Amino acid sequence: MGLAVVMVMHTNMSVWADKISDLKEQNKKDQEALDELDEEMENLAQEQEGIASDMAEVQLAIVDLMASISMIEEDIETTQGEIAQAELDLASAQEQEQEQYEAMKLRIQYLYENGNTSYLSLLLQSSSFQSVLNSAEYIEQMYAYDRKMLTEYEENRKQIEDMKANLELEYAELEVSKAECEQEQAGLEEALAELARLSDDYELQLSKAKQEAEVYKSKIKKQNAEIKKLEEEAARKAREEAERLAAMKNKPIGTAKVDTASIMAANGSAKGKEIAIYACGFVGNKYVWGGTSLTKGADCSGFTQSVYKAFGYKIPRTSYQQRSAGKAVTYAEAQPGDLICYAGHVAMYIGNGKIVHASSAKTGIIIGYATYKPILAVRRIV
């Protein structure tokens, strides 16, 4: 009857342990997914920040181009005014030429009307040599004056025409510069729009990632609460089992030597069974906190570390570190030679629901039941 109760309780504890293990495994996966989302959100935020910086640079470039276009337009307006003035000056020069031409015709008409059509007529009509000289000098001065005025006009007109041509060339170059700046501005504005689209896309991805992260956080929170509840329930069941075992006088086996045949009959590797049998050979030796001697005294983790060391296996020193050693298996899969990890304690499984461990300073190295308190992990070294 007592054995049946123990077997039922052991089965129930295995179910609890499996359920907690499954939940923790899912919890671990969800936490990893959340960590990946956090990393993704950080990367997205950095990329969005980079796009914002690029947008600021493009906006500054657009402002500079707009300022350049504005100055070019001012230069175009000024040049247009100068071209208009040159056209007025040229028209004025042409008007002066016409006036000069009309004046010259009047002078020629005057000479003609007064019979001064040639030097011969001038000589024949003069009353004296002095009057001939005076008339000839007058005609020569008039001719020199007209030639001088014509030369000045030609130079002034050419200067105005050259200036007008240069202004028109400058105007054309300004128009080309303005068109190039406007084209570059259009390209930058298109790039800015694309950056804005990318920024919005990153914002959308960030929002989606945040929503997914919230879902994972909620799941992890619920899982943690459920794990805590199950662990508390498992602990309660373990206490009840311990009380039932105590009531049936199924107390720890203590210093009694284990039946090696039962170890060999359990499922597991030959090496693991060999290690378990070897560990049982030190039952009865004392517990020494911080100790690692199998004969002079060891604590729980020092005992397991030294047993494995005897077979060439190296594991960490403390019970907390040993909880991460080797490979994780469930309690239902436990085999002789596996580590059974508890809160602040570690033992070695020897099969059939039993462990060998450096229990306490009071009891020393003993054999007991694996489920005497909640199991946190089972680690396979061999």
Side-chain angles (χ1 to χ4, degrees):
M1 179 69 177
L3 178 60
V5 172
V6 170
M7 290 179 67
V8 170
M9 291 299 294
H10 176 71
T11 301
N12 289 338
M13 290 304 294
S14 296
V15 171
W16 282 103
D18 290 346
K19 193 170 182 180
I20 291 172
S21 177
D22 291 342
L23 267 174
K24 285 185 175 180
E25 185 64 27
Q26 185 59 47
N27 185 267
K28 180 182 178 183
K29 290 179 181 178
D30 290 342
Q31 184 61 53
E32 288 173 352
L34 179 60
D35 292 341
E36 289 177 3
L37 277 173
D38 287 339
E39 185 177 355
E40 180 185 351
M41 286 190 290
E42 185 177 351
N43 292 335
L44 286 170
Q46 289 176 352
E47 289 173 4
Q48 189 179 40
E49 185 178 347
I51 287 175
S53 177
D54 291 342
M55 289 178 67
E57 291 182 9
V58 172
Q59 287 171 334
L60 285 175
I62 290 174
V63 170
D64 288 342
L65 276 173
M66 291 176 67
S68 297
I69 291 171
S70 178
M71 288 189 289
I72 289 172
E73 288 175 341
E74 289 178 2
D75 290 342
I76 287 174
E77 185 177 354
T78 301
T79 304
Q80 285 176 325
E82 291 175 349
I83 290 173
Q85 184 60 48
E87 289 174 346
L88 290 174
D89 292 343
L90 186 60
S92 177
Q94 289 172 341
E95 185 178 341
Q96 288 177 2
E97 179 191 21
Q98 187 64 32
E99 290 176 357
Q100 183 181 352
Y101 175 68
E102 295 296 332
M104 184 177 68
K105 285 198 301 181
L106 288 173
R107 285 193 294 273
I108 292 172
Q109 183 181 0
Y110 173 78
L111 289 174
Y112 180 79
E113 289 174 352
N114 285 276
N116 296 327
T117 57
S118 67
Y119 280 105
L120 179 61
S121 62
L122 180 67
L123 180 63
L124 293 174
Q125 293 178 12
S126 298
S127 58
S128 65
F129 182 70
Q130 183 64 42
S131 66
V132 170
L133 290 177
N134 290 338
S135 297
E137 183 179 357
Y138 171 74
I139 293 171
E140 191 69 27
Q141 288 176 350
M142 185 179 66
Y143 173 79
Y145 171 77
D146 287 336
R147 171 58 59 186
K148 177 175 176 292
M149 292 297 292
L150 178 62
T151 301
E152 288 179 353
Y153 162 74
E154 290 293 340
E155 290 177 351
N156 185 43
R157 186 179 67 178
K158 187 176 186 307
Q159 182 178 2
I160 293 172
E161 287 176 345
D162 289 346
M163 181 178 68
K164 182 173 178 288
N166 289 333
L167 286 171
E168 288 173 345
L169 179 61
E170 182 180 349
Y171 176 83
E173 290 175 349
L174 287 170
E175 287 287 355
V176 170
S177 297
K178 179 184 176 184
E180 289 176 349
C181 287
E182 288 174 342
Q183 186 176 3
E184 186 176 351
Q185 180 182 346
L188 287 172
E189 287 175 348
E190 185 177 345
L192 184 63
E194 177 62 17
L195 286 170
R197 186 191 67 76
L198 286 174
S199 179
D200 291 342
D201 186 54
Y202 279 120
E203 185 65 32
L204 183 63
Q205 291 183 57
L206 265 173
S207 177
K208 184 178 178 182
K210 287 177 181 177
Q211 289 176 359
E212 291 180 6
E214 288 303 319
V215 171
Y216 275 112
K217 286 178 183 177
S218 178
K219 284 177 65 178
I220 290 169
K221 185 177 180 181
K222 289 179 180 177
Q223 288 166 356
N224 288 335
E226 191 172 354
I227 289 170
K228 182 179 179 182
K229 182 179 178 181
L230 287 172
E231 287 179 339
E232 289 175 350
E233 185 65 18
R236 184 180 66 79
K237 293 289 185 182
R239 288 194 299 271
E240 289 177 357
E241 181 186 10
E243 291 171 359
R244 288 176 184 273
L245 291 172
M248 295 186 304
K249 298 184 179 181
N250 286 327
K251 296 181 179 179
I253 299 169
T255 59
K257 298 294 182 181
V258 73
D259 182 2
T260 58
S262 65
I263 296 177
M264 294 303 294
N267 292 327
S269 67
K271 180 60 71 175
K273 294 174 185 178
E274 184 182 354
I275 292 173
I277 292 171
Y278 175 77
C280 290
F282 301 97
V283 170
N285 290 348
K286 61 182 179 179
Y287 175 99
V288 176
W289 188 86
T292 58
S293 173
L294 297 173
T295 55
K296 296 181 180 179
D299 58 17
C300 63
S301 56
F303 171 69
T304 52
Q305 184 188 52
S306 296
V307 169
Y308 283 119
K309 184 178 179 182
F311 288 84
Y313 295 95
K314 185 177 180 180
I315 63 171
R317 173 64 182 87
T318 67
S319 60
Y320 174 77
Q321 292 170 328
Q322 289 181 17
R323 199 187 303 171
S324 301
K327 181 180 73 172
V329 296
T330 65
Y331 177 63
E333 298 170 325
Q335 298 175 0
D338 289 346
L339 285 177
I340 305 294
C341 304
Y342 309 92
H345 191 63
V346 65
M348 180 175 290
Y349 190 67
I350 60 174
N352 301 307
K354 297 185 181 70
I355 55 172
V356 60
H357 59 135
S359 176
S360 66
K362 182 179 179 181
T363 58
I365 299 173
I366 62 170
I367 293 172
Y369 289 101
T371 56
Y372 82 104
K373 67 176 183 176
I375 297 172
L376 298 184
V378 180
R379 309 297 298 189
R380 181 158 298 156
I381 308 301
V382 180

